[in-house]
């Protein structure tokens, strides 16, 4: 299993920037995919960005493409968010899938974009 801890959420003004960090521990070497999802009350948890290692790839939701960038450094996953909009307000969750197809989730971190 993989344990995930997010950090970096907070309150920003529309048009501003924020970077989220997800620190992974446990069976990190087994991770095949990592990504970010977000959820607002009453809505489904939606994919924001995903990246894999075998093969290497990145995938972004259309609403964030060109504004958000996912990256990884060993056991750390990042989400660089720019040109933030009020509709980006959500709880953001770190996500990982290991070689046994087991899904891990972080506790979530709140991002609030004010206008």
């Amino acid at each position: 299993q993989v344990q995930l801890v997010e950090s970096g959420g907070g309150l920003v003004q529309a048009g501003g920037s924020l970077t989220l960090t997800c620190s992974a521990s446990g069976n990190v070497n087994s991770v095949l995919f990592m990504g970010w999802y977000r959820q607002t009350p009453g809505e489904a948890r939606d994919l924001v960005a995903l990246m894999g290692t075998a093969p290497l790839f990145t995938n972004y939701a259309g609403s964030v493409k060109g504004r958000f960038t996912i990256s990884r450094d060993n056991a750390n996953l990042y989400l660089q968010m720019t040109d933030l909009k009020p509709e980006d307000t959500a709880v953001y969750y770190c996500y990982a899938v290991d070689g046994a197809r087991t899904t891990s989730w972080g506790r979530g971190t709140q991002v609030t974009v004010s206008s």
Side-chain angles (χ1 to χ4, degrees), residues 22-115:
C22 174
S23 297
S25 60
N27 195 14
V28 176
N29 290 336
S30 72
V31 171
L32 300 177
F33 312 106
M34 294 188 74
W36 295 92
Y37 284 69
R38 67 187 181 187
Q39 187 172 29
T40 56
E43 302 290 336
R45 187 174 296 184
D46 294 327
L47 176 69
V48 177
L50 184 70
M51 68 184 306
T53 59
L56 290 171
F57 75 92
T58 57
N59 189 24
Y60 295 91
S63 59
V64 308
K65 190 173 296 183
R67 299 188 297 119
F68 291 11
T69 302
I70 189 170
S71 61
R72 183 171 63 187
D73 180 12
N74 293 324
N76 294 319
L77 183 74
Y78 306 95
L79 185 67
Q80 294 176 277
M81 303 182 291
T82 63
D83 191 25
L84 284 161
K85 304 175 180 180
E87 53 263 42
D88 295 319
T89 296
V91 177
Y92 284 70
Y93 297 90
C94 186
Y95 160 90
V97 178
D98 65 19
R101 307 295 182 91
T102 300
T103 300
S104 299
W105 294 95
R107 72 184 73 179
T109 185
Q110 177 71 46
V111 173
T112 302
V113 183
S114 64
S115 60

